């Protein structure tokens, strides 16, 4: 079977003319930095800024905003504001500290400084709006090695990245190469804006060698050069058989999907095939969060995760859902998994299906609650904090009832060769899950259940579901039951009972009764709900006349005459009631004397 590659390089890489195009930053001198404007209408004359600290050597610089820059020297940091129009810089802040090397996270504008002889005491600094603040200093725990050897923390083994919106320092911890070596680890330190930095996760690599780190879609990707494979870790997934902070890879090690470089240039033959890219090359440079550069081939790629291959590699469907729900482009893959577990060779047991539904609806409920909270804040006005509350973003992880009905349940209910008992059990399990999370079930799901029951002549089960309110009352559902009367006569009464329970469907009940020529039943119903004084007399007289029963017409006509007498002191109908033709019909059937008799009521 072909290997499933769950990582790939971006299709449209940035191409450099040749390898030397990938340059480092060069300084004018050890303590000076040159600047040149590229802003339109600004002078392009170069200008230079010298370090304020005497005898300091610049290790590098970081732009924290378009006009703010930090010089990192071996003696500390200098924070400047740049004035392009004046071609000079103003020193905002400076910090004195011995620095071995540094790391920078552009997303959070945090610089990590390596201090002390061993380099393992790290000082983070946060930059924002012209201010610099010291975050909690912390120490990286180095591996224990035999004396008298001394180990120092290398810049190559440390990286900073944002994972699930939180800043982490990642330390690639190598162990001594012995028979009992546990293999290398990636140790994650959570770095909050306030409070101490703590070791939060240990990612077990179970091997040794040269590694490189990327972050893709909140996954920690560890590349292993000698095996030419990569591992991925999801720090939100917790192994049941491991301690809280120790994690194994989510999936088996796999190589990045093979990439072919198209040939270019005048000497290239049109039929000449693209050249395979050398993956995991020693000329690769990896940058955070997801950049890979091949200096020898002159390409820059973004690393990407392919979700479909992960489905076969992760057999635990509950864990698979946890994994997929946290990924960016997950919706269609999740819906595909839902279809797979309901039929064919991948068909799962009902408890597994229930687990999947619960995980989907938990995310769905969280989104609905966030929407309700936002709507309430907007309605209450800016005094309650609506101005600061952001509208919740609907991610692809929100799988609502419409998605499930359209892409999964509708086609599944019509699938040949699937037990109707299993179909009904799955539909009811999804409705059970929605109710568990207090999500209002849409009527089309109930309709799907009823249609499936009717299709298989399971009328007893339908009656039970309705009698014990397994299917919630709604007007659309009552109308569907009415349409089933020809197939299942008790459906008519079930529909009426449902409409009565709704208490907001009086008009619908009257229409149903009149359509069945149950005119006296409709009359008794409107009296029972106190609506007799407001209903249209013409509607009832039309229905009574259409039955062809003269005595029924007489009874209904006299009933409304009595109503008129009680309300207006006269049995006559108002012109606005448009009952003239019924008055004429009454006289034709029973004579003027009957009308006169009626007028004395």
């Amino acid at each position: 079977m072909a290997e499933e590659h769950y990582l790939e390089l971006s299709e449209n890489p940035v191409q450099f003319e040749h390898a030397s195009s990938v340059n480092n930053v060069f300084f004018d001198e050890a303590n000076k930095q040159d600047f040149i404007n590229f802003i339109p209408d600004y002078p392009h004359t170069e200008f230079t800024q010298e370090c304020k600290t005497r005898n300091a050597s610049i290790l590098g610089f970081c732009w924290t905003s378009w006009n703010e820059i930090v010089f990192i020297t071996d003696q500390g940091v200098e924070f400047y504001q740049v004035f392009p129009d004046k071609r000079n810089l103003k020193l905002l802040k400076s910090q004195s500290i011995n620095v071995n090397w540094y790391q920078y996270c552009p997303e959070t504008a945090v610089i990590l400084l390596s201090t002390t002889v061993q380099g393992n005491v790290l000082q983070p600094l946060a930059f924002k709006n012209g201010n610099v603040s010291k975050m909690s200093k912390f120490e990286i725990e180095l591996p224990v090695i035999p004396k008298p050897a001394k180990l120092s923390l290398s810049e190559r083994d440390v990286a900073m990245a944002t994972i699930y919106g939180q800043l982490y320092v990642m330390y690639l911890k190598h162990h001594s190469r012995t028979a009992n070596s546990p293999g290398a680890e990636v140790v994650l330190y959570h770095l909050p804006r306030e409070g101490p930095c703590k070791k939060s996760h240990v990612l077990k690599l179970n091997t040794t060698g040269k590694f490189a780190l990327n972050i893709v879609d909140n996954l920690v990707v560890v590349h292993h050069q000698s095996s030419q494979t990569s591992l991925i870790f999801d720090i939100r997934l917790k192994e049941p058989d491991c301690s809280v902070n120790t994690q194994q890879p989510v999936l088996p090690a796999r190589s990045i999907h093979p990439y072919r470089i198209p040939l270019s240039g005048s000497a290239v033959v049109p039929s000449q095939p693209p050249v395979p890219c050398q993956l995991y090359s020693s000329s690769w440079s990896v940058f955070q969060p997801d950049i890979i550069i091949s200096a020898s081939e002159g390409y820059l790629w973004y690393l990407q995760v392919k979700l479909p291959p992960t489905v076969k590699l992760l057999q635990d469907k509950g864990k698979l859902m946890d994994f997929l729900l946290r990924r960016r482009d997950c919706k269609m893959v999740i819906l595909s998994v839902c279809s797979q577990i309901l039929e064919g060779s991948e068909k799962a047991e009902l408890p597994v299906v229930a687990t999947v539904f619960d995980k989907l609806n938990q995310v769905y409920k969280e989104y609905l609650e966030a929407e309700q909270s936002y709507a309430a804040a907007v309605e209450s006005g800016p005094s309650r904090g609506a101005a600061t509350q952001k509208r919740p973003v609907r991610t692809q992880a929100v799988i609502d009832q419409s998605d499930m009905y359209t892409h999964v349940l509708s086609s599944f209910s019509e699938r040949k060769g699937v037990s109707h008992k299993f179909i009904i059990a799955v539909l009811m399990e999804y409705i059970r899950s929605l109710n568990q999370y207090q999500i209002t079930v849409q009527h089309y799901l109930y309709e799907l259940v009823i249609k499936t029951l009717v299709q298989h002549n399971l009328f007893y089960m339908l009656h039970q579901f309705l009698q014990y309110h397994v299917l919630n009352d709604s007007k659309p559902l009552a109308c569907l039951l009415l349409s089933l009367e020809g197939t299942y006569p008790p459906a008519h009464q079930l529909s009426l009972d449902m409409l009565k329970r709704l208490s907001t469907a009086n008009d619908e009940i009257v229409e149903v009764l009149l359509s069945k020529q149950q005119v006296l039943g409709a009359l008794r119903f409107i009296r029972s709900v106190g609506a007799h004084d407001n209903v249209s007399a013409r509607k009832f007289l039309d229905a009574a006349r259409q039955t062809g029963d003269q005595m029924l017409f007489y009874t209904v006509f006299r009933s409304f005459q009595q109503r008129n007498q009680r309300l207006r002191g006269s049995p006559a109908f108002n012109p606005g009631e448009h009952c003239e033709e019924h008055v004429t019909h009454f006289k034709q059937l029973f004579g003027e004397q009957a009308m006169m008799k009626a007028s004395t009521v």
Side-chain angles (χ1 to χ4, degrees):
M1 187 177 70
E3 182 176 313
E4 298 284 353
H5 303 277
Y6 49 75
L7 291 169
E8 64 181 357
L9 302 175
S10 53
E11 290 184 4
N12 300 309
V14 177
Q15 184 177 6
F16 302 102
E17 195 169 324
H18 45 76
S20 61
S21 297
V22 185
N23 290 324
N24 292 319
V25 175
F26 292 98
F27 302 99
D28 180 41
E29 293 180 18
N31 64 342
K32 291 182 180 180
Q33 175 58 49
D34 290 336
F35 292 81
I36 184 169
N37 286 328
F38 289 96
I39 304 173
D41 303 324
Y42 275 59
H44 288 195
T45 311
E46 291 185 21
F47 54 102
T48 301
Q49 177 62 45
E50 193 172 322
C51 281
K52 298 293 184 182
T53 307
R54 185 174 296 178
N55 299 324
S57 296
I58 297 178
L59 302 177
F61 66 88
C62 302
W63 288 96
T64 58
S65 73
W66 77 272
N67 67 338
E68 292 177 353
I69 191 171
V70 182
F71 288 2
I72 300 95
T73 73
D74 56 354
Q75 298 182 37
V77 296
E78 297 178 4
F79 187 28
Y80 291 93
Q81 183 175 1
V82 181
F83 296 94
D85 53 340
K86 299 177 182 178
R87 292 184 291 116
N88 62 23
L89 283 75
K90 175 187 176 183
L91 181 65
L92 300 175
K93 302 276 183 179
S94 63
Q95 294 274 351
S96 294
I97 184 172
N98 290 329
V99 180
N100 303 308
W101 48 262
Y102 72 96
Q103 295 275 4
Y104 179 55
C105 178
E107 278 184 276
T108 56
V110 171
I111 294 176
L112 191 68
L113 304 177
S114 164
T115 67
T116 69
V117 176
Q118 287 187 290
N120 64 327
V121 176
L122 303 180
Q123 174 64 66
L125 301 174
F127 296 83
K128 188 176 182 181
N129 300 328
N131 294 310
V132 54
S133 56
K134 270 189 175 183
M135 299 167 70
S136 295
K137 184 187 294 186
F138 65 100
E139 183 175 347
I140 295 283
E141 182 184 334
L142 297 175
V144 177
I145 59 173
K147 293 181 179 180
K150 286 187 178 181
L151 190 67
S152 61
L153 183 63
S154 169
E155 179 182 3
R156 292 192 302 269
D157 295 333
V158 177
M160 277 198 300
T162 302
I163 309 172
Y164 290 116
Q166 299 293 316
L167 181 61
Y168 290 87
V169 173
M170 302 182 291
Y171 166 49
L172 186 56
K173 187 175 184 180
H174 299 275
H175 291 275
S176 57
R177 297 186 180 184
T178 62
N180 298 323
S181 172
E185 302 169 339
V186 177
V187 184
L188 267 59
Y189 293 82
H190 180 218
L191 194 57
R193 285 282 177 175
E194 296 179 1
C197 177
K198 294 181 179 179
K199 182 165 74 170
S200 59
H201 300 82
V202 176
L203 313 181
K204 293 289 188 178
L205 305 184
N206 304 314
T207 187
T208 58
K210 289 185 178 180
F211 301 93
L213 302 174
N214 275 131
I215 303 295
V216 185
D217 203 3
N218 291 312
L219 295 169
V220 180
V221 182
V222 184
H223 308 291
H224 186 225
Q225 189 178 42
S226 59
S227 67
Q228 297 193 353
T229 59
S230 300
L231 296 167
I232 62 172
F233 296 84
D234 186 346
I235 64 172
R236 288 276 177 92
L237 290 178
K238 294 180 180 178
E239 293 288 342
D241 55 344
C242 294
S243 60
V244 175
N245 296 326
T246 302
Q247 290 186 284
Q248 295 292 334
V250 178
L251 301 170
R254 291 290 186 269
S255 170
I256 295 171
H257 193 279
Y259 187 88
R260 294 182 175 274
I261 300 172
L263 298 175
S264 59
S266 56
V268 175
V269 179
S271 60
Q272 198 168 350
V275 178
C277 171
Q278 186 182 351
L279 301 178
Y280 302 91
S281 165
S282 58
S283 70
W284 273 20
S285 297
V286 173
F287 297 89
Q288 299 308 318
D290 56 358
I291 295 172
I292 294 176
I293 293 178
S294 173
S296 62
E297 293 163 320
Y299 277 88
L300 179 153
W301 296 278
Y302 292 99
L303 188 64
Q304 300 170 341
V305 174
K306 296 196 299 179
L307 294 181
T310 67
V311 174
K312 292 184 179 180
L313 294 172
L314 201 49
Q315 296 301 315
D316 184 329
K317 299 306 178 187
K319 188 175 179 181
L320 174 63
M321 279 297 138
D322 288 336
F323 175 79
L324 292 176
L325 283 166
R326 298 188 180 101
R327 307 287 74 83
R328 193 181 300 115
D329 301 317
C330 63
K331 174 166 283 189
M332 297 314 298
V333 179
I334 288 174
L335 292 170
S336 172
V337 171
C338 290
S339 294
Q340 289 173 24
I341 63 174
L342 296 181
E343 52 191 293
S345 59
E346 298 289 328
K347 181 179 172 183
E349 297 295 326
L350 198 59
V352 175
V353 175
T355 298
V356 170
F357 287 163
D358 286 345
K359 290 182 181 296
L360 296 181
N361 288 327
Q362 182 179 358
V363 176
Y364 182 21
K365 177 63 174 179
E366 289 169 357
Y367 171 75
L368 292 176
E369 287 180 338
E371 274 281 0
Q372 291 169 359
S373 175
Y374 173 77
V378 170
E379 190 175 343
S380 64
S383 59
R384 297 289 182 89
T388 57
Q389 187 167 351
K390 293 182 179 180
R391 185 177 192 126
V393 177
R394 178 169 182 150
T395 67
Q396 288 203 19
V398 179
I399 309 292
D400 63 18
Q401 297 173 68
S402 175
D403 295 324
M404 285 296 292
Y405 177 84
T406 304
H407 298 282
V408 181
L409 299 177
S410 180
S411 58
F412 166 66
S413 66
E414 299 172 358
R415 189 73 64 192
K416 304 295 182 183
V418 180
S419 163
H420 65 267
K421 292 182 180 179
F422 184 66
I423 292 174
I424 293 165
V426 167
L427 295 176
M428 295 311 300
E429 196 58 52
Y430 184 62
I431 290 172
R432 189 271 320 154
S433 179
L434 291 169
N435 287 325
Q436 177 178 314
Y437 287 96
Q438 300 179 326
I439 300 171
T440 303
V441 181
Q442 296 298 317
H443 65 84
Y444 47 76
L445 291 174
Y446 289 137
E447 290 175 8
L448 193 59
V449 173
I450 291 174
K451 287 178 180 177
T452 305
L453 292 170
V454 171
Q455 184 181 350
H456 296 282
N457 297 316
L458 299 172
F459 297 112
Y460 173 76
M461 189 178 289
L462 170 61
H463 205 112
Q464 293 288 94
F465 282 176
L466 294 168
Q467 186 176 355
Y468 294 104
H469 309 297
V470 176
L471 307 178
N472 290 347
D473 298 341
S474 70
K475 290 180 183 180
L477 203 58
C479 292
L480 176 61
L481 288 172
L482 279 176
S483 70
L484 298 174
E485 184 183 7
T487 308
Y488 181 54
H492 171 70
Q493 189 58 47
L494 290 169
S495 172
L496 281 180
D497 293 343
M498 182 178 290
L499 289 170
K500 287 176 183 177
R501 288 194 299 270
L502 288 169
S503 72
T504 58
N506 294 341
D507 292 341
E508 286 83 356
I509 294 173
V510 169
E511 293 295 340
V512 169
L513 292 170
L514 292 179
S515 69
K516 298 296 179 183
Q517 297 190 335
Q518 298 178 21
V519 185
L520 290 181
L523 206 55
R524 283 193 294 270
F525 172 74
I526 61 168
R527 281 176 176 166
S528 71
V529 296
H532 183 244
D533 293 350
N534 302 315
V535 296
S536 165
R538 179 176 177 176
K539 179 188 292 186
F540 281 79
L541 293 170
D542 284 343
R545 189 172 173 181
Q546 287 170 6
T547 64
D549 186 336
Q550 294 182 3
M551 290 312 297
L552 176 62
F553 181 76
Y554 180 86
T555 302
V556 174
F557 190 90
R558 291 298 298 274
S559 171
F560 281 101
Q561 277 190 320
Q562 291 171 3
R563 184 192 73 167
N564 296 342
Q565 181 72 39
R566 179 169 50 81
L567 294 176
R568 299 193 294 269
S570 167
F573 292 94
N574 284 337
E577 293 181 272
H578 305 293
C579 293
E580 293 81 5
E581 63 175 297
H582 295 301
V583 172
T584 302
H585 184 65
F586 186 89
K587 289 178 181 179
Q588 290 172 350
L589 291 176
F590 306 108
E592 285 282 352
Q593 190 174 2
M595 279 293 295
M596 295 297 291
K597 196 174 185 180
S599 66
T600 62
V601 174

